Amino acid sequence: MMISVKDFSFSIGGKQILFDVAFDLPKGAYLSILGPNGAGKSTLLKCLLRLHEKGTAKGSILIDGKPLEGYSQKGLARLISYVPQAGGWIPPFTVQELSKLSRFPYISGLSGLTKKDVEAVDRALETTGLTAMRDRPLKTLSGGERQKAFLAAAVAQETPIMLLDEPASFLDPHHTSEMEKLLIRLNQEQGLSMIAVTHDLNHPAKTKGLALILRKGRVMYFGDVPGLLGKGVLEEAFDHQFVYLENPKSGLPVILAE
Amino acid sequence: MGTSLKIAILIVLGLVIFVVSPFFGLETISPASLLKGLDPGDADVFWKMRVPRAVAAFLAGAGLSLSGMVFQALFRNPLATPFTLGVSSGASFGASMYFFLGGSALASLGGVGPLFASLFGAGLSVAMVWLITSAKGGFSTVIMLLAGVVINFFFSSLVLFVQYLSDSNDSLRIMHWLMGSLSGLDTPRLADLAFVVLAGFVAIRLIAQEIDLLTAGEELAASRGVKVNRVKLIIFITASVVVGSVVSLAGPIGFVGLMVPHACRLILGWSHRILIPAVFFVGGAFLVLCDLVSRIILAPAEIPIGIITSMLGGPFFLWTLFKSQKTGDLF
C-alpha cells in the first residue's frame, strides 16, 4: 500500500492550512509527522483519513494509485485504521467491545460478527497484551492502558495502514516506551505502514523511519533521520536551538531542546 | 444475571403491565367477567376506550423513548432528549397553530390535521437546529445542544403567544393538550401512530451498529467505515417524525425519553442491538403504567399523564445531572 500525496493544499473557511504538501510513502514505512503547534499536522492526518468534509482541497492523495475520494467509506476503513489522541471522549464500552466495533467495515447488512471477526479481535488483544483486561470498561483503565485499548481496536481493524494522532502524549515514561515498542513491532514484524503525528522529536529515530516536518502548512523536510540532524532544519522549523547527543546504550541520536 | 434473562424479565413485566392496565379505571372490570362476556356498556369501555388507550400509551412511550435513546447516542449526552433539542416544543407549536386556526384553513385536513401540523413544527425546529449548527461549521455537540435550548425557548414563547391570541375556549384546549394527555384520544388515528412508530423502530434497528460506533465518537465512527452524516440524518428525520406523531396525538409528554433509555442502559449496557428492542418495550410499558396511575390516582378525576411523567422526571433529571458532575463525565 503506497501512499502518495501530490501538491495537496487545504483550506477551511478561507484560511489556508496546508500548502502544496507532497510526499511518497513506500509500503511498510514508518512516518513521523513533526512540527510546531498550528503547523497543520493534525489537519494533514485528518485529510489522510478523509475526516475533513468542511473545507476545500486541491491536489490529490492517492493510495495505491487510486484517489482517496474513490474509496467507499467501508473500503477506506479496510485500508486505514486510526488511533485518536489520548485524553478525549471515553466511550462507554469495555476493551473487547471497542475492538469488536472495529470489525464494522467487514460486516455486511444486519449480520453480526463471524468467527473470523472474533478471532481478529482476540489476536489484537493478545498483540497489545490486553487479553486479561478484555472485560474492563475503558473508564476504569489508566490513561496508558486506555490508549493501548484504542491501539488494540485499530489493530483489530486489520488494515495495512495505521494513522496515529500523538499516540503517546499524556503517558508516563513507562507507558510511552511500551506504546512505542508496540508500534515498532507492528511496523517491523507485521509490516503495517504507520503515520504518526507526534511532538516527540526522538520518535522517528527510535522507529528507524522517516520524518516529515511541517511549518506553517508547508513541508520543510521529508526524509530519514540522519539527514535531519545538524542541518538547521529543526532550528528553523521550531524557531529554537537544539542539542544533538547519542544515547550511550542504544546508539540512537537524541535531540534535546536547549 | 445474564442479558437474555434480564430481557426476558423486562418483557414479562411489560406484558403484564400492558395486559392488566385496561381492567382498571373508574370501574374495575374483572378478567372473569371478560371471559364470561361483558355487558355492552362494559364491553364498550373495555374494547373501545381502555384497550386503544393502552395501545396509544404503549406506542407513545416506545416512540419517545427510542427518540431519546438515539439523540443521546448522537450527542453523547444523557440530557439530550426530544425536549432539550426543541423538537417537542416545535411540534407543540405546530399543534397549537392547528388549534388556533382549527376552524378555518386547516380544518379541511380533517383528522390528520394535528399530525401534519405537529410534523411541520417538529421539522421546522430540527431544520433550525441543523441550520444553526452547520452555519457554525460542523456538527459540534455543544452548539447543537445550545441551539436546542434556544429553539425550545423560542417555540415555547410562540406557543404562549398563540395561546394569548386564542379565545378562552381554544386557549383551554391548548393548555390541556400541552400538559400531555391521552384522554381525548382520537382512536382512528392510532393506526397512523402505530405505522410511524413501528417504521421508526425498524429504521433505527437497521443502523444499530452505526449507533454503537457513533457513541464511540464521530471521528472514530467515520474511521471505522460509518457514513456519519447519513446516519445523523436518518436519526434526525426518524426521531423528529416519531416525536411529531406522538406529540400530535398525546401532547408533549415529558421526560420519558430521558428516563427509559437511561434505566435500560444501566441494566443492559450499551450495545444498541439489545438496547433498541429493550427501550422500545420498556418505554411502552412505562407509559402504560403512568397512564394507569393517571387514571386511578385521583379517580374519578383524571390527571394529564404529562404531569405524572414530569413529576418522576424532574428528580430523575437532577439525579442524572448530579451523578454526572460527580463522576466527571456525562454517561
Side-chain angles (χ1 to χ4, degrees):
Chain A
M1 284 294 152
M2 168 152 158
I3 300 170
S4 171
V5 179
K6 292 189 193 305
D7 298 327
F8 186 78
S9 300
F10 189 79
S11 42
I12 301 177
K15 188 174 179 262
Q16 189 159 357
I17 297 174
L18 296 172
F19 298 82
D20 303 317
V21 173
F23 61 91
D24 285 322
L25 200 64
K27 184 175 182 293
Y30 196 130
L31 176 70
S32 304
I33 301 177
L34 298 161
N37 293 327
K41 303 184 295 293
S42 292
T43 304
L44 177 57
L45 197 74
K46 284 188 181 160
C47 287
L48 289 169
L49 276 162
R50 215 172 60 185
L51 284 179
H52 264 309
E53 281 173 30
K54 302 253 165 191
T56 8
K58 269 202 319 220
S60 58
I61 299 174
L62 309 167
I63 298 179
D64 267 355
K66 185 173 165 184
L68 210 54
E69 310 87 68
Y71 288 95
S72 70
Q73 195 76 26
K74 279 189 173 182
L76 193 65
R78 286 190 292 263
L79 283 184
I80 307 180
S81 54
Y82 168 58
V83 179
Q85 201 172 353
W89 158 253
I90 306 169
F93 298 115
T94 64
V95 173
Q96 190 183 24
E97 283 167 347
L98 187 72
S99 282
K100 279 184 175 170
L101 289 180
S102 293
R103 299 303 296 174
F104 181 75
Y106 302 95
I107 293 168
S108 56
L110 275 175
S111 63
L113 297 185
T114 63
K115 200 172 156 232
K116 205 172 149 241
D117 295 315
V118 176
E119 282 167 5
V121 170
D122 287 345
R123 269 198 307 278
L125 295 178
E126 207 185 305
T127 308
T128 47
L130 289 175
T131 308
M133 289 189 200
R134 60 196 309 151
D135 294 321
R136 292 265 304 272
L138 295 173
K139 282 195 173 72
T140 67
L141 303 179
S142 74
E145 291 163 344
R146 195 179 303 133
Q147 194 59 359
K148 256 204 254 174
F150 277 103
L151 178 64
V155 173
Q157 212 170 325
E158 293 192 312
T159 57
I161 303 166
M162 188 181 285
L163 265 55
L164 307 105
D165 196 356
E166 302 190 28
S169 342
F170 310 112
L171 302 187
D172 60 40
H174 171 71
H175 281 107
T176 302
S177 153
E178 236 181 43
M179 188 64 145
E180 280 168 347
K181 279 179 197 150
L182 267 173
L183 296 178
I184 291 167
R185 235 177 66 209
L186 286 170
N187 173 242
Q188 291 174 358
E189 290 173 18
Q190 304 196 10
L192 261 82
S193 302
M194 314 287 265
I195 301 179
V197 164
T198 175
H199 276 300
D200 178 6
L201 297 178
N202 295 304
H203 193 67
K206 288 182 207 162
T207 63
K208 300 192 170 58
L210 300 166
L212 182 130
I213 298 181
L214 278 178
R215 183 174 186 254
K216 292 183 180 163
R218 293 175 200 276
V219 177
M220 276 195 63
Y221 179 84
F222 173 68
D224 60 11
V225 177
L228 174 69
L229 302 174
K231 301 224 173 97
V233 182
L234 288 175
E235 283 75 4
E236 197 191 333
F238 289 92
D239 215 357
H240 197 88
Q241 295 305 306
F242 294 93
V243 183
Y244 301 89
L245 305 168
E246 196 187 275
N247 183 331
K249 213 170 156 193
S250 64
L252 293 173
V254 176
I255 303 164
L256 284 180
E258 256 185 24
Chain B
M1 206 190 295
T3 308
S4 351
L5 183 62
K6 286 179 191 167
I7 292 179
I9 292 174
L10 288 178
I11 289 177
V12 170
L13 263 178
L15 276 178
V16 168
I17 291 169
F18 183 73
V19 170
V20 161
S21 152
F23 290 101
F24 293 95
L26 193 51
E27 275 177 50
T28 309
I29 295 170
S30 74
S33 62
L34 181 70
L35 289 175
K36 266 187 278 169
L38 294 170
D39 65 68
D42 279 352
D44 266 7
V45 167
F46 189 83
W47 291 112
K48 291 198 178 147
M49 289 169 71
R50 290 188 189 168
V51 170
R53 191 164 160 162
V55 173
F58 188 91
L59 290 170
L64 290 173
S65 304
L66 269 185
S67 308
M69 184 204 70
V70 290
F71 279 140
Q72 285 145 27
L74 180 60
F75 294 110
R76 297 195 295 285
N77 188 323
L79 304 181
T81 66
F83 286 78
T84 40
L85 292 172
V87 184
S88 293
S89 43
S92 301
F93 167 67
S96 34
M97 280 304 282
Y98 174 81
F99 288 130
F100 178 57
L101 302 169
S104 54
L106 286 164
S108 56
L109 284 170
V112 289
L115 176 66
F116 279 111
S118 291
L119 286 182
F120 175 74
L124 199 64
S125 63
V126 168
M128 282 168 75
V129 175
W130 193 275
L131 279 177
I132 291 172
T133 46
S134 54
K136 289 292 288 180
F139 285 92
S140 149
T141 299
V142 176
I143 290 171
M144 213 176 244
L145 277 175
L146 286 176
V149 170
V150 170
I151 282 158
N152 211 344
F153 277 119
F154 176 68
F155 279 113
S156 300
S157 38
L158 280 184
V159 170
L160 285 178
F161 186 58
V162 171
Q163 234 182 321
Y164 173 76
L165 292 178
S166 310
D167 59 40
S168 57
N169 220 350
D170 280 345
S171 174
L172 206 65
R173 269 176 76 198
I174 294 174
M175 200 176 83
H176 189 73
W177 177 84
L178 279 176
M179 291 175 191
S181 173
L182 289 162
S183 60
L185 187 65
D186 193 357
T187 312
R189 282 187 44 222
L190 262 187
D192 301 343
L193 184 66
F195 174 76
V196 171
V197 172
L198 290 175
F201 172 78
V202 171
I204 289 169
R205 179 62 188 84
L206 283 174
I207 53 167
Q209 290 172 10
E210 282 89 335
I211 298 176
D212 275 349
L213 274 153
L214 268 188
T215 312
E218 281 173 30
E219 287 193 347
L220 204 83
S223 76
R224 266 47 165 181
V226 175
K227 289 177 183 158
V228 171
N229 281 346
R230 202 179 70 169
V231 174
K232 278 179 165 181
L233 195 66
I234 294 174
I235 288 178
F236 254 109
I237 291 176
T238 309
S240 322
V241 170
V242 169
V243 171
S245 316
V246 171
V247 166
S248 80
L249 196 84
I253 300 172
F255 292 105
V256 183
L258 172 78
M259 289 186 278
V260 173
H262 207 79
C264 288
R265 278 191 291 258
L266 282 179
I267 300 169
L268 295 166
W270 273 90
S271 166
H272 283 85
R273 206 169 42 82
I274 296 164
L275 209 50
I276 290 166
V279 163
F280 183 85
F281 213 79
V282 173
F286 174 70
L287 211 58
V288 172
L289 187 65
C290 288
D291 180 52
L292 179 61
V293 172
S294 80
R295 285 189 287 124
I296 59 179
I297 196 166
L298 286 182
E302 188 180 291
I303 358 175
I305 190 170
I307 293 181
I308 304 270
T309 58
S310 299
M311 278 174 157
L312 293 170
F316 190 89
F317 192 97
L318 280 178
W319 175 71
T320 317
L321 196 67
F322 280 118
K323 195 175 72 112
S324 65
Q325 278 184 346
K326 206 161 61 188
T327 53
D329 58 65
L330 284 167
F331 273 120

